[in-house]
Amino acid sequence: MIEERFDAIVVGAGMAGNAAALTMAEGGMKVLQLERGEYSGSKNVQGAILYADMLEKLVPDFREDAPLERHLVEQRFWMMDDRSHTGLHYRSEDFNEEKPNRYTIIRAQFDKWFSQKVREAGATVLCETTVTDLVRDDSGKVIGVKTDRRDGEIHGDIVVLAEGVNGMLGTRAGLRERPKPEKVALAVKEMHFLPRETIEARFNLRGDEGVVIEAVGTISRGMTGMGFIYANKECISLGIGCLVADFQRTGETPYGLLDRFKRHPSVAPLIEGSEVKEYSAHLIPEGGFKAIPQLYGKGWVVIGDAAQLNNTIHREGSNLAMTSGRIAAEAILKIKSRAQPMIPQNLALYKKMLDESFVIKDLRKYKDMPALMHTRSQNFFLTYPQLVSKAMQNFVRVDGTPKIDKEKLTLKSFTNARSRSGLFGDAFRLVRAWR
Amino acid sequence: MPIELFTRVEDKLFNNRYLVDTGRPHIKVRPHAKPSPQLLSMLKACPARCYELSEDGQVEATVDGCIECGTCRIICEESGDIEWSYPRGGYGVLFKFG
């Protein structure tokens, strides 16, 4: 066993783990952070969008040296059928501000930088170390971790589980359930490299301006899913994700889906001639509010993706991870400053603080959305995109048909496909789940 | 519509960096006479095509190209079809971009 004892052990060096380790180390705690990758970030995968506000609370001057790609000036939502897309584009000069609100990032590079901040704050970061088990005392209180290093048992007052969506420790120890196939999505992604000028020309950008495209429709073949295209400085992150249960049910392959998305006539011109340098896959927690596990116990807390803290509707995850990590750390610091033990009665403070934050408030707002999207995926991801596309084409194509007849035709295509009561039912359920 | 060949997954994986822990696969398929529906679904669902059907009808896993997403764990661990753990520290896929 490693004799040294720590105030806190953080398992994982993603967004949540780094936020927690940084906050606790800055608060004067003796922190050990364990990461199984060669360096922090080498096992992490994300789209990736960085929300400045949540990072600013941790590293106020992050813009000075963080590896940021492009600040976002434009957001596109696409509803796609096999040959077209109907888009909603929002672009504003307001986003060319002194302190931009959102950036694209490359996670492996960003996490390396974030980890450096954690080290500078005084935490010990041990990479290439896989935590294999939790260590408990006779009362069941978690008192440390076992690692795959020789004599790799390490003790600490609190273990912060930031092990990600596929975290094994918590489930192995019976602290939370293994994610269910209908509560996690599998996303696959490629990094497409192109000259900077080419990206700027194709996406209508100047300098470090960036664009995000998020797309739903027949690209997911009736499964609950979404495609994304993010412009970085010299590459494009392009991916698509669908619920694991849907992959299981349909027998679609993730790479087949990705390749079809890439060949879509709206997408292909954006990546034409690019060089692919990486292919990755990652699970995304999609269960929402109802999938959040017990967040704390005897000697442990769980944060970030491992706690299913992900807002699917707004495509936010890393900011919820960072915020939950910071809040957990602040709660732990408070408990420690009062010289109290890390037991559930005291750690409940973490949940109380999280409940009061946007993290839980947002997830609670959409608590019924995941179930709705899953049970009606055919309507929302296949039928409606096809109908919208047909309606748009009917609207813009000029062929001598009187407009009144065109409108009737469009209305009829909707009622034929879904019937009036079906349309009202879907709309009603959507509004109710949204509120 | 012209038939285009999909990029082979093997070619996609070729771009990635790996440190393979030779002889110590982190995923093991439990011996079986007839593969379960869960195991069979992995032939398609695994994004790295680590699962293949052998000539005698068994599902086999070759984890060298595994990108450690955990999909097979979510689908097959509960039924006991596979034993899943993370690779030893430092081994496995190493993302340059992530």
Side-chain angles (χ1 to χ4, degrees), chain A residues 166 168 178, chain B residues 26-32 36 38-40 42 51 59-61 63 70-85:
Chain A
N166 191 33
M168 312 226 16
R178 183 186 305 111
Chain B
H26 64 281
I27 302 165
K28 286 180 195 142
V29 179
R30 195 178 59 177
H32 52 274
S36 68
Q38 285 92 336
L39 260 186
L40 284 172
M42 288 318 301
Y51 289 82
V59 173
E60 292 174 349
V63 301
T71 303
C72 57
R73 177 187 169 227
I74 302 300
I75 293 180
C76 296
E77 197 185 52
E78 196 168 15
S79 55
D81 285 311
I82 62 168
E83 239 178 82
W84 208 101
S85 56

Side-chain angles (χ1 to χ4, degrees), chain A residues 35 46 60 111 124 131-132 142-143 169 179 183 202 246 249 258 297 378 383 388 407 430:
Chain A
E35 161 59 42
Q46 192 199 340
D111 289 7
T124 306
V131 178
T132 53
V142 174
I143 54 165
L169 283 176
K183 300 239 166 90
R202 285 182 189 178
D246 282 353
R249 178 174 56 82
L258 182 67
Q378 288 279 331
T383 311
V388 165
E407 278 169 24
L430 190 63

Side-chain angles (χ1 to χ4, degrees), chain A residues 14 78 89 113 156 170 184 188 245 261 277 287 313 348 371 377 386 416 418:
Chain A
W78 284 0
H89 292 196
W113 167 87
V184 281
V188 286
F261 184 45
K277 292 198 182 172
I313 304 303
S377 65
Q386 283 167 336
N416 278 354
R418 286 291 299 134

Side-chain angles (χ1 to χ4, degrees), chain A residues 18-35:
Chain A
N18 283 338
L22 178 71
T23 306
M24 289 191 290
E26 281 179 341
M29 285 177 72
K30 189 173 165 195
V31 177
L32 172 70
Q33 188 182 36
L34 299 165
E35 161 59 42

